[in-house]
Amino acid sequence: GRRGKENHPMNNWGEVKPVGTLAREVERTPCSILTGFLGAGKTTLVNHILKGKHGLKVAVIENEFGEVGVDDALVLETEEEVFEMNNGCICCTVRGDLMRILNKLSRREAKFDHILIETTGLADPAPVAQTFFFDEDIKASYSLDAIVTVVDCAHIIPHLEENKPEGVENESVEQVAFADKILLNKVDLVTPSEKAAVLAKIRSINKLAEVIETSYSAVDLSRVLGVKAFDLARVLQVEEDFLDTEGEHEHDSSVTSVGITLRGSLELPKLNLWLTTLLQTRGTDIFRSKGVLNVSGSDSRHVFQGVHMLMGISSSEDGVGRGWKEGEERESRVVFIGRNLNREELVEGFEACLVK
C-alpha cells in the first residue's frame, strides 16, 4: 500500500498528495478561488475584472449562488453559460460541475491568462482547492494560484465573533483562515482604531496571508492574480514575513495560528512521520500549514506546505528557493492555522523531531 513512504527522502511529496509544483513544467493556466461574505465586495471586484482595461484575459466562473449580475450592455456574445465581455474577459455561470466547465474552457482555442472561481455559498474553499490536486485532467491544464478572501472591514468583527451552535462552522472565520490574500475592503468606512481592531482579529486567525487594504474593491490585479501562493518556490521568497512566529497568541478564538521556531537540526524520517501522522489524524482541523526546515546532514533549505491532509515538501536541492547562506543561522519555523490547535502538543511533536 501507500504506508511505506516514511523512509523516502524528503524531496518526494508527502504521504498524501502534492500541494504546489516545481517550476519546471508545462504552462498551465493559473486559477484563483475568490471567497468572502455576501456584501463584502466580491461583485465589485469581479466587475473591475470584467470591465477594466488591464490587458489580461480572465475567465470568471461563478457558482449558482453567485451574486454577480453581468451587465448586459457589456456582453458581446453569449454561448450557453459563457458570456464574452468586450475587454476579452469572459464570465461563466456554473450550474453543476466545476470540472465540466474547466474542461470546456481548456478546449477553447483562445487561452486565458487567469481563471477566477467565485465561491459564494461555500464555507470552506478546500473542496474546490483539492480538485486541482486530485483530478488528472484538471491538473494537466490548470494550477491553483491562490485563495483570495474579500472582507468587509466595517462589518466583519460581529461575523468573526458570532457563536455558532456546536458542530456548525463559522463561515467567515474559515474564509479568513484559508486565505493567501485578504482584501480588507471598505476601509474608507471605518476609523483608524476600528481598522486596527479588525487587522488584529484577522492576524489572530491567519498570520500567513497578505492583507491588502481597499475601497470599492479597487486593487492592482497583479497583487491578487498570478501570486503562485501554492508554488513551494514562492513560499520561500515570502517566508520572512509569514513565518514570523513571535507576536501575539490569542486564546479566545477556536481558529488560531500557531507559529513555532526551533534551533538545531531535524531528523528527516521523524519529521516525515510526525507531519504525515499529524495531517492524517488532525487534518480536518488544520486548514493551512507551512514551514521552512533545517534538516540534519543537508545544506538545502527544505520547505513544506499543506491544505488539510494534502502536503507537499521540497528543497533548494530540487531548485526550489535558495540553500542556507554561509554563516546564516539555521532554524526551522512552522505555522499551523486551524481549529482547536494545542500549542504545547505541536511544540512537543516538533521538538521530538530534533536530532538528539
Side-chain angles (χ1 to χ4, degrees), residues 63-82:
N63 63 22
E64 54 198 323
F65 305 105
E67 45 177 312
V68 179
V70 178
D71 184 341
D72 288 340
L74 293 169
V75 176
L76 284 185
E77 178 196 339
T78 309
E79 164 214 337
E80 199 189 340
E81 65 240 307
V82 177

Side-chain angles (χ1 to χ4, degrees), residues 142-153:
Y142 300 105
S143 62
L144 183 57
D145 188 61
I147 295 172
V148 179
T149 298
V150 184
V151 165
D152 175 346
C153 195

Side-chain angles (χ1 to χ4, degrees), residues 51-71:
K51 297 175 186 180
K53 292 184 168 55
H54 41 68
L56 294 172
K57 280 190 66 120
V58 181
V60 177
I61 299 175
E62 1 167 51
N63 63 22
E64 54 198 323
F65 305 105
E67 45 177 312
V68 179
V70 178
D71 184 341

Side-chain angles (χ1 to χ4, degrees), residues 194-259:
E194 286 170 332
K195 185 174 81 179
V198 172
L199 278 167
K201 188 74 191 167
I202 286 173
R203 280 279 162 256
S204 74
I205 296 168
N206 183 338
K207 62 166 67 173
L208 300 182
E210 182 193 359
V211 178
I212 302 168
E213 296 180 16
T214 58
S215 299
Y216 302 101
S217 297
V219 63
D220 175 354
L221 291 185
S222 68
R223 293 187 73 183
V224 287
L225 303 182
V227 200
K228 296 189 174 168
F230 284 85
D231 181 336
L232 288 170
R234 290 295 291 266
V235 174
L236 280 169
Q237 288 171 24
V238 297
E239 105 223 30
E240 305 308 332
D241 301 328
F242 86 67
L243 284 174
D244 169 19
T245 54
E246 299 310 311
E248 297 305 302
H249 300 295
E250 288 194 20
H251 297 286
D252 59 339
S253 164
S254 71
V255 177
T256 54
S257 289
V258 171

Side-chain angles (χ1 to χ4, degrees), residues 68-193:
V68 179
V70 178
D71 184 341
D72 288 340
L74 293 169
V75 176
L76 284 185
E77 178 196 339
T78 309
E79 164 214 337
E80 199 189 340
E81 65 240 307
V82 177
F83 301 98
E84 198 147 326
M85 314 306 290
N86 55 14
N87 69 351
C89 293
I90 69 162
C91 183
C92 333
T93 310
V94 179
R95 290 198 162 63
D97 193 353
L98 174 67
M99 312 245 226
R100 185 179 58 80
I101 195 96
L102 284 172
N103 282 323
K104 179 177 171 178
L105 291 177
S106 70
R107 289 193 297 270
R108 286 171 70 106
E109 268 180 52
K111 293 298 176 215
F112 296 99
D113 298 311
H114 208 94
I115 289 179
L116 188 67
I117 300 163
E118 194 250 348
T119 61
T120 310
L122 283 181
D124 177 350
V128 181
Q130 286 166 344
T131 301
F132 292 91
F133 305 113
F134 286 133
D135 185 275
E136 293 305 322
D137 291 342
I138 301 295
K139 263 168 43 176
S141 305
Y142 300 105
S143 62
L144 183 57
D145 188 61
I147 295 172
V148 179
T149 298
V150 184
V151 165
D152 175 346
C153 195
H155 300 102
I156 188 68
I157 292 224
H159 286 305
L160 294 177
E161 292 180 345
E162 185 183 350
N163 281 322
K164 298 275 187 179
E166 200 169 327
V168 177
E169 310 311 343
N170 183 328
E171 290 185 11
S172 51
V173 171
E174 296 210 351
Q175 289 168 353
V176 167
F178 266 103
D180 297 295
K181 298 273 181 172
I182 293 171
L183 291 193
L184 189 57
N185 195 31
K186 308 189 187 182
V187 287
D188 51 317
L189 302 181
V190 296
T191 64
S193 63

